[in-house]
Amino acid sequence: CGGAGQAACTEQDALDGNLYQLYLELGGTGEFAAVGIQIKVAGYTEANPATGQLTTKFLENPQAPFSELKIHLNGGPRAPIDNPAVCGRATTTADFTAWSAPGITPEGLSLPGTADATPSSFFDVGGCANPAGLRPGFSAGTVSPQAGAFSAFTMNLSRADREQFVKGIQVDTPPGLLGMLSSVPLCGEPQADDGHCSEASKIGTTRVASGAGSHPFEIGGNVYLTQSYRGAPFGLSIVTNAVAGPFNLGLVVVRARIAVDPENSSLTITTDETGPYAIPQIIFGVPLRLKQVTVNIDRPGFMFNPTSCAAQQITASISGSQNATAVVSSPFAAAGCKSLAFKPSFAVSTSGKTSRAKGASLDAKVSYPAGSVGSEANIARVKVDLPKQLPSRLTTLQKACTAATFDANPANCPAASIVGIVKAHTPLLPVELTGPVYFVSHGGEAFPSLIVVLQGDGVRVDLTGATFISKAGITSSTFKTVPDVPVNTFELYLPEGKYSALAANGNLCKSKLAMPTAFVAQNGAEIHETTQIAVTGCPKAKRAKAKKKRPKQRAKAKKADNAGYGRTRS
């Protein structure tokens, strides 16, 4: 393919075994030139699709004697073939058929002839360990480190010659390094598997270098954000159009799943290691020998930095073709956190209608100013102290779900352990996050924890608040780890009911309820204040039915009464 008068090699040519063709041209110089002889011999090479072993055939050779034929294939960085990847004896076999080989006449009679010659040759391959090691190079980070700001993200992975080939890649991002998923239309199936996602779903590009030596072949591709994949809420379709000069090996599609950690919302991106969408080791008989991968997630307004400037790492686990695993990392830290504002608002209310049977309610809401992404730090820690008029309800605490049951599946927790509901809006996702609030008992803790479960668009986030009840009966809840994720609003509602979280001491309508509150930001900023709890549903004070009489009016009335009394007596 690709020769004079031939079309470029296509994917169908590869399937048909016609991908690689050779031409031997003899003559034009020396003795052949003197007599004007020029010989062209056509051949083709078949590549085993599973092993890459090459078999070259010349089936239409001229019937001419020769004493020696030497074929030399160029070496160097652009050599057409690589040495074997496995050390030891490498044997080449041959099968030569003479013009005088045995045959069959048209009448079906056998003709005697010369048997095929089957010589072989070998050479030794050395200089490699058994099994080969895997020590990949790795670097990753955002182009601009400004805290909370949007920035392109780049990852580079490299492998040296004589190391195991790359079979799989798993990348773990630090908390707070996220993507604005709500801004990207997700590619669905079967487009993601076929490699035909629309441009609207594109979030970046790739650059891949394959082959041995100092000058591997480089080719580019695209990265698309997809709907849920293999149990994860989101996925990637990494598409490369494998065209090298006249050779077209078609679209190569690698799939990856994107999992979200339920505790800190960090991302884990994992490529397939098996199946049709794994990183290919060989395509149509061509061993890829992946040497370098560069991924650029550069869609404008997509990736953004954490609002914490703590020293962190981007880690990766690289799987090798001979089952080696290499864990690599790249340091990462945002900068300029102190310039971020921290002005969340906090409002709390309760209902004045309480009872011994149904306890008391509480409604708490945190709000951020509109358009605060990139200009405000996110919340890292929260502590609230409830007033003694709103104590924890001990009978409900005793109904807490066990940690083992919750960790296995919160849906299996008893109904009595569900004490509220929660909802949140984040600019990251196109949907609202909602879910139940549980009391969960962990071994070794004096009191059950309050765990908030937020779910939406396949994403789950758990917020755990440690509960403490003082000797004075004051309940405090401390959320020690809040994900570095921007939110528009967050609302927690603990209703009245048979299994309410709170009870009521006295008439709440006649009490002034105050809640000491502490907010700590991801950038270290702190807010300490006393939040007044509004009491709703209280009856209005009744107005007096009659006005009190003035002093002059009272004197006239008394005189009239006396005069009337005298007339009656007369």
Side-chain angles (χ1 to χ4, degrees):
C1 304
Q6 299 288 322
C9 292
T10 65
E11 184 178 0
Q12 189 60 46
D13 289 322
L15 293 172
D16 295 339
N18 299 322
L19 189 59
Y20 314 109
Q21 297 191 15
L22 302 175
Y23 293 90
L24 300 184
E25 183 175 358
L26 308 174
T29 60
E31 299 178 2
F32 290 109
V35 296
I37 296 176
Q38 187 175 32
I39 300 174
K40 292 182 178 180
V41 181
Y44 66 94
T45 297
E46 295 175 346
N48 186 299
T51 65
Q53 184 180 32
L54 302 176
T55 300
T56 301
K57 299 180 180 180
F58 292 92
L59 302 180
E60 299 180 359
N61 302 323
Q63 189 174 186
F66 66 91
S67 58
E68 186 179 61
L69 174 66
K70 290 184 177 181
I71 300 176
H72 174 74
L73 300 181
N74 294 331
R78 292 296 185 184
I81 57 176
D82 294 337
N83 280 328
V86 179
C87 288
R89 176 167 294 189
T91 301
T92 302
T93 61
D95 187 334
F96 295 98
T97 301
W99 278 100
S100 58
I104 304 294
T105 66
E107 293 78 16
L109 299 177
S110 297
L111 294 177
T114 306
D116 285 7
T118 56
S120 64
S121 177
F122 70 88
F123 63 97
D124 290 321
V125 179
C128 56
N130 189 18
L134 183 62
R135 296 173 295 277
F138 179 76
S139 64
T142 52
V143 175
S144 171
Q146 177 60 42
F150 289 103
S151 174
F153 173 84
T154 299
M155 183 202 79
N156 289 289
L157 174 68
S158 60
R159 180 195 67 84
D161 287 336
R162 300 178 183 175
E163 292 186 2
Q164 293 185 29
F165 306 132
V166 176
K167 182 174 65 174
I169 303 172
Q170 182 179 88
V171 178
D172 293 296
T173 67
L177 181 60
L178 300 168
M180 196 66 69
L181 301 173
S182 60
S183 66
V184 182
L186 303 181
C187 179
E189 303 294 349
Q191 291 83 5
D193 284 346
D194 295 341
H196 293 99
C197 292
S198 71
E199 191 71 12
S201 301
K202 180 181 173 181
I203 60 172
T205 60
T206 61
R207 194 73 184 170
V208 178
S210 297
S214 59
H215 292 73
F217 180 76
E218 295 189 11
I219 193 169
N222 295 316
V223 182
Y224 300 92
L225 187 65
T226 76
Q227 296 175 353
S228 60
Y229 180 66
R230 292 190 62 185
F234 307 99
L236 296 177
S237 178
I238 305 166
V239 183
T240 303
N241 192 7
V243 177
F247 299 102
N248 183 358
L249 303 182
L251 295 179
V252 177
V253 179
V254 175
R255 297 298 308 273
R257 58 188 184 274
I258 303 176
V260 181
D261 187 281
E263 293 185 3
N264 60 20
S265 295
S266 62
L267 304 180
T268 298
I269 300 96
T270 308
T271 64
D272 286 359
E273 290 192 9
T274 59
Y277 306 112
I279 296 175
Q281 302 300 305
I282 188 169
I283 301 179
F284 297 119
V286 182
L288 295 186
R289 300 192 176 188
L290 194 65
K291 196 161 190 180
Q292 185 169 3
V293 177
T294 300
V295 179
N296 291 307
I297 307 301
D298 54 5
R299 183 187 179 105
F302 182 67
M303 292 289 292
F304 58 90
N305 288 313
T307 62
S308 167
C309 287
Q312 303 187 79
Q313 289 186 330
I314 300 172
T315 61
S317 178
I318 314 302
S319 301
S321 57
Q322 298 179 46
N323 300 322
T325 300
V327 178
V328 293
S329 64
S330 181
F332 175 85
C337 288
K338 296 300 182 183
S339 64
L340 298 175
F342 185 53
K343 299 178 181 178
S345 62
F346 187 49
V348 186
S349 64
T350 185
S351 173
K353 296 179 180 180
T354 63
S355 66
R356 183 179 297 273
K358 294 187 176 181
S361 66
L362 190 74
D363 192 343
K365 184 176 182 180
V366 179
S367 303
Y368 265 83
S372 59
V373 177
S375 62
E376 291 224 13
N378 300 320
I379 296 172
R381 179 186 172 98
V382 178
K383 181 183 179 183
V384 296
D385 295 323
L386 294 173
K388 60 182 179 181
Q389 294 93 332
L390 292 171
S392 291
R393 200 171 182 184
L394 298 180
T395 55
T396 303
L397 290 173
Q398 294 170 355
K399 304 291 185 181
C401 182
T402 63
T405 301
F406 180 88
D407 292 341
N409 186 358
N412 293 330
C413 287
S417 66
I418 302 175
V419 296
I421 58 175
V422 64
K423 60 182 180 179
H425 291 271
T426 171
L428 271 65
L429 299 173
V431 300
E432 179 184 67
L433 297 175
T434 61
V437 181
Y438 296 88
F439 270 144
V440 179
S441 177
H442 296 82
E445 291 183 343
F447 305 99
S449 298
L450 189 72
I451 299 185
V452 174
V453 179
L454 287 163
Q455 299 176 94
D457 217 5
V459 175
R460 173 182 161 185
V461 178
D462 294 347
L463 302 178
T464 301
T467 303
F468 178 76
I469 303 175
S470 69
K471 293 181 179 179
I474 295 177
T475 300
S476 66
S477 292
T478 304
F479 292 86
K480 298 180 180 180
T481 304
V482 179
D484 191 0
V485 176
V487 295
N488 299 326
T489 59
F490 174 90
E491 187 167 0
L492 172 68
Y493 180 54
L494 306 177
E496 303 169 12
K498 183 178 180 180
Y499 301 110
S500 64
L502 303 175
N505 285 334
N507 188 343
L508 299 184
C509 291
K510 295 182 178 181
S511 303
K512 290 185 178 180
L513 306 180
M515 176 189 288
T517 307
F519 286 94
V520 179
Q522 294 284 346
N523 66 350
E526 297 186 14
I527 298 175
H528 296 271
E529 61 187 11
T530 299
T531 304
Q532 300 301 317
I533 301 177
V535 181
T536 63
C538 293
K540 295 182 179 179
K542 296 181 179 180
R543 295 184 179 182
K545 293 183 178 180
K547 296 181 179 179
K548 291 183 179 181
K549 296 179 179 179
R550 296 179 181 179
K552 288 184 179 181
Q553 292 174 330
R554 290 199 298 268
K556 289 181 179 180
K558 183 176 182 181
K559 185 177 181 180
D561 289 343
N562 291 337
Y565 172 74
R567 287 192 294 271
T568 301
R569 289 188 64 186
S570 301

